[in-house]
Amino acid sequence: NKLIFHNVEVREYEVIPGCNPSITDGPPVEIGWRFSEGAVCSVDQFERSRCFRRRNNYRLRMPAYVHESLLILHGNDIVSIWKAAKEAKILKIQRETTAAAERWKRKQADNRDHYLKKMLLRRRGGNPLEM
């Protein structure tokens, strides 16, 4: 069995403000559902005509001003861009608060378990694992 690709269809999708809170600063960027049809070519032609090499994760990161510029270039208004940035920041704070609360709960449970084991040792005078 082998897998063969024949053609590549290149499409350009709309760029819209997103809602992903994992962004460090500025508005999140997403692609929308609308797109314009592009060229169709063979995989070999596509790979030969590419003008850039694959980038690693670090080089894929964009500063906030690039996010904003991209969104403006694609016809998004400033208000929706700022709103998306604000909502992402709020979601990020909520996630961080939830994560901190979970860490605190886990620490409390670990402390409780430690205290109970200690009490059992005192009462039984031995190893709690042997009980």
Side-chain angles (χ1 to χ4, degrees):
N1 295 338
K2 64 180 175 177
L3 180 63
I4 300 172
F5 293 97
H6 293 284
N7 293 323
V8 174
E9 181 181 349
V10 180
R11 296 177 171 176
E12 187 170 322
Y13 284 83
E14 67 180 336
V15 177
I16 58 173
C19 61
N20 189 342
S22 67
I23 191 163
T24 50
D25 194 27
V29 175
E30 293 181 4
I31 60 171
W33 289 101
R34 290 185 292 203
F35 61 89
S36 58
E37 295 289 343
V40 176
C41 61
S42 74
V43 174
D44 293 330
Q45 285 174 325
F46 177 76
E47 288 296 329
R48 279 194 302 270
S49 68
R50 283 178 39 168
C51 59
F52 56 88
R53 294 178 182 230
R54 297 194 188 281
R55 295 173 284 177
N56 62 25
N57 286 344
Y58 177 76
R59 297 195 65 189
L60 289 173
R61 293 183 185 163
M62 295 185 290
Y65 74 89
V66 174
H67 286 213
E68 291 168 0
S69 300
L70 237 159
L71 289 165
I72 290 169
L73 270 172
H74 282 265
N76 296 283
D77 62 294
I78 293 292
V79 174
S80 66
I81 294 170
W82 286 343
K83 191 176 180 181
K86 184 177 179 180
E87 288 172 3
K89 189 176 269 191
I90 290 169
L91 281 172
K92 187 173 189 169
I93 290 168
Q94 289 172 342
R95 283 188 177 184
E96 288 169 353
T97 303
T98 301
E102 288 300 317
R103 284 192 301 273
W104 185 82
K105 285 180 188 176
R106 245 183 276 124
K107 186 175 180 181
Q108 293 301 313
D110 290 346
N111 288 345
R112 183 191 64 234
D113 292 348
H114 176 73
Y115 177 76
L116 288 173
K117 285 179 187 175
K118 195 173 173 182
M119 292 302 291
L120 282 172
L121 274 172
R122 283 185 188 161
R123 285 187 183 166
R124 304 257 169 122
N127 187 348
L129 298 177
E130 294 173 356
M131 296 177 211

